[in-house]
Amino acid sequence: MPEKLILRIGSGKTGTSAIQTGLARHKDLLLEHGIYYPCSTGLEKQSVEKALHGKITSGNGIYLNLFLNPSNRSVNFQESEFYSYFEEVVQKAQGNTILFSDERIHNANPERLLALDNYFRNFFDYIEIIYYVRHITDHAMSLYMQKVKRHGYYKDFSTFIKKAITPFKKNLEKFEEVFGKSNISIYLYDEQKEDIFNKFLKNIGLSISPLEKIETINRSLDRQELLLLQKINELDLPMNNISEKISDKFIYSKPKIQAENTYFVSTEELSIIKKNNQDIVDFINNSYFKGEERLKIHSDQIVVLPHNQLSHQDHKYEELVNNIVLALDSVLRPLLSKDKKLR
């Protein structure tokens, strides 16, 4: 029976897809070194197949997610499915450490998390929770882009950050209460983002020669792409997942495009972010980084400008973007409306 379970629970936008691509590609080597990464059973197989091909994926913990988040379940899911699945995983592990990496786990319902811990204690002597944090404004900017890319969001960053409070403290406190602080290992993404997969392997105690450097899987949009996608989202065309389809086309057709090395925020935006999140920064630095100011409100990649100067940054793209969007609207909307009538 395995003695140890490792759960990498997030946070999202901290190199998750790159790590999971590396784990899927090197699962056999991991097993040779005593770590079993479940990726061949049922629902998890599809997610891991995507990771193998460098596609965006949430990880190999889909059954864990269904158990921990009842709101995500289909009407056909039964908890008995999870227990059967997990017992099969334990058998396949053959005494090796079991590793799950899935950013959805941190959304766990607290009561379900406690029930899961009680169940896990039947199998494991030790459970390690691994959690990555990121400089706050950089993380907020990345979450904002993700919302534009995958969820049809079209409003500006100023609107987004008014209610954007990083989940780091809330998630850590939730897992501390169930597993204990001593079982949580926390890492700063900004210190490890260069070659994050090999650094993750070191974090879990593997002493092996460096493996391939995993390419960026879910790259950020450049400024032109972001503005274009916002404008398209604002059209609200009658087409399902249009923002996701367009952003995937951007990302997968030109995966090596480097997004800007700097991101611009206004002094007003930074003030709001600091007001909403400074206590979270202090909590993590004091509780997990021995009082060192490692986690910050923003990195050097964030350039802070007065609002009037910030607006000027978009003017050079605006006319081109507006013309493209108007052309798309005039062509696509009649076609989509016609297709809808034919159905």
Side-chain angles (χ1 to χ4, degrees), residues 6-39:
I6 301 173
L7 298 177
R8 183 189 186 275
I9 64 169
S11 183
K13 309 310 297 176
T14 59
T16 301
S17 292
I19 288 173
Q20 283 151 191
T21 292
L23 293 173
R25 289 178 182 172
H26 297 287
K27 63 184 189 306
D28 294 336
L29 182 62
L30 290 172
L31 191 56
E32 289 176 17
H33 288 81
I35 293 181
Y36 176 61
Y37 184 67
C39 59

Side-chain angles (χ1 to χ4, degrees), residues 2-69:
E3 294 182 354
K4 184 177 180 181
L5 172 69
I6 301 173
L7 298 177
R8 183 189 186 275
I9 64 169
S11 183
K13 309 310 297 176
T14 59
T16 301
S17 292
I19 288 173
Q20 283 151 191
T21 292
L23 293 173
R25 289 178 182 172
H26 297 287
K27 63 184 189 306
D28 294 336
L29 182 62
L30 290 172
L31 191 56
E32 289 176 17
H33 288 81
I35 293 181
Y36 176 61
Y37 184 67
C39 59
S40 60
T41 304
L43 296 172
E44 75 194 7
K45 191 172 182 178
Q46 296 176 358
S47 180
V48 173
E49 281 294 321
K50 289 173 67 177
L52 278 170
H53 293 92
K55 304 296 184 183
I56 300 166
T57 171
S58 295
N60 70 334
I62 188 166
Y63 282 98
L64 289 173
N65 177 50
L66 290 171
F67 182 89
L68 290 169
N69 296 293

Side-chain angles (χ1 to χ4, degrees), residues 170-332:
K170 177 183 69 175
N171 289 334
L172 285 167
E173 289 180 333
K174 177 169 57 180
F175 278 80
E176 279 180 18
E177 188 170 343
V178 174
F179 296 99
K181 183 180 174 183
S182 61
N183 287 47
I184 298 175
S185 300
I186 186 169
Y187 299 97
L188 182 58
Y189 164 78
D190 309 81
E191 294 176 349
Q192 303 204 347
K193 63 182 178 180
E194 296 299 325
D195 201 12
I196 193 166
F197 173 58
N198 280 299
K199 289 176 181 175
F200 174 76
L201 296 181
K202 289 184 179 180
N203 293 342
I204 61 175
L206 284 190
S207 300
I208 58 177
S209 299
L211 301 175
E212 61 175 316
K213 184 176 180 180
I214 302 298
E215 68 275 15
T216 300
I217 303 299
N218 186 10
R219 71 167 175 85
S220 297
L221 300 176
D222 67 26
R223 194 67 193 164
Q224 295 175 75
E225 292 170 334
L226 178 64
L227 288 170
L228 180 59
L229 198 51
Q230 279 178 291
K231 296 288 186 181
I232 292 172
N233 289 345
E234 193 171 6
L235 293 176
D236 195 25
L237 293 168
M239 179 178 177
N240 291 333
N241 304 320
I242 186 170
S243 62
E244 184 175 333
K245 290 172 182 175
I246 293 174
S247 66
D248 282 353
K249 193 69 175 177
F250 287 155
I251 292 166
Y252 296 139
S253 64
K254 297 181 178 179
K256 295 184 180 180
I257 283 182
Q258 293 294 317
E260 285 89 344
N261 289 324
T262 56
Y263 295 97
F264 299 95
V265 300
S266 71
T267 50
E268 294 84 356
E269 290 166 346
L270 187 66
S271 177
I272 292 170
I273 292 170
K274 189 170 184 178
K275 178 182 177 181
N276 289 343
N277 296 280
Q278 185 63 56
D279 65 318
I280 298 169
V281 172
D282 294 339
F283 165 79
I284 291 171
N285 284 333
N286 291 328
S287 297
Y288 286 93
F289 293 147
K290 300 179 180 179
E292 298 176 20
E293 295 183 2
R294 289 169 60 188
L295 180 65
K296 300 174 183 178
I297 289 293
H298 67 86
S299 73
D300 294 339
Q301 285 185 275
I302 301 295
V303 176
V304 184
L305 297 173
H307 182 73
N308 60 333
Q309 291 184 32
L310 186 64
S311 302
H312 181 70
Q313 296 297 318
D314 293 338
H315 287 340
K316 55 186 175 182
Y317 305 130
E318 209 160 72
E319 184 177 355
L320 174 62
V321 166
N322 285 335
N323 287 338
I324 292 172
V325 171
L326 286 172
L328 280 172
D329 189 34
S330 64
V331 172
L332 286 179

Side-chain angles (χ1 to χ4, degrees), residues 1-2 5 36 38 40-41 44 63-64 67 77-96 98 100 116 118-124:
M1 184 177 292
L5 172 69
Y36 176 61
S40 60
T41 304
E44 75 194 7
Y63 282 98
L64 289 173
F67 182 89
F77 180 80
Q78 302 292 326
E79 286 192 5
S80 58
E81 293 180 55
F82 169 76
Y83 295 124
S84 297
Y85 158 77
F86 201 80
E87 287 167 15
E88 183 179 344
V89 167
V90 170
Q91 289 178 354
K92 287 184 175 181
Q94 297 182 338
N96 293 292
I98 296 174
F100 285 97
L116 186 68
N118 290 332
Y119 175 67
F120 279 165
R121 297 300 171 183
N122 296 317
F123 303 102
F124 305 104

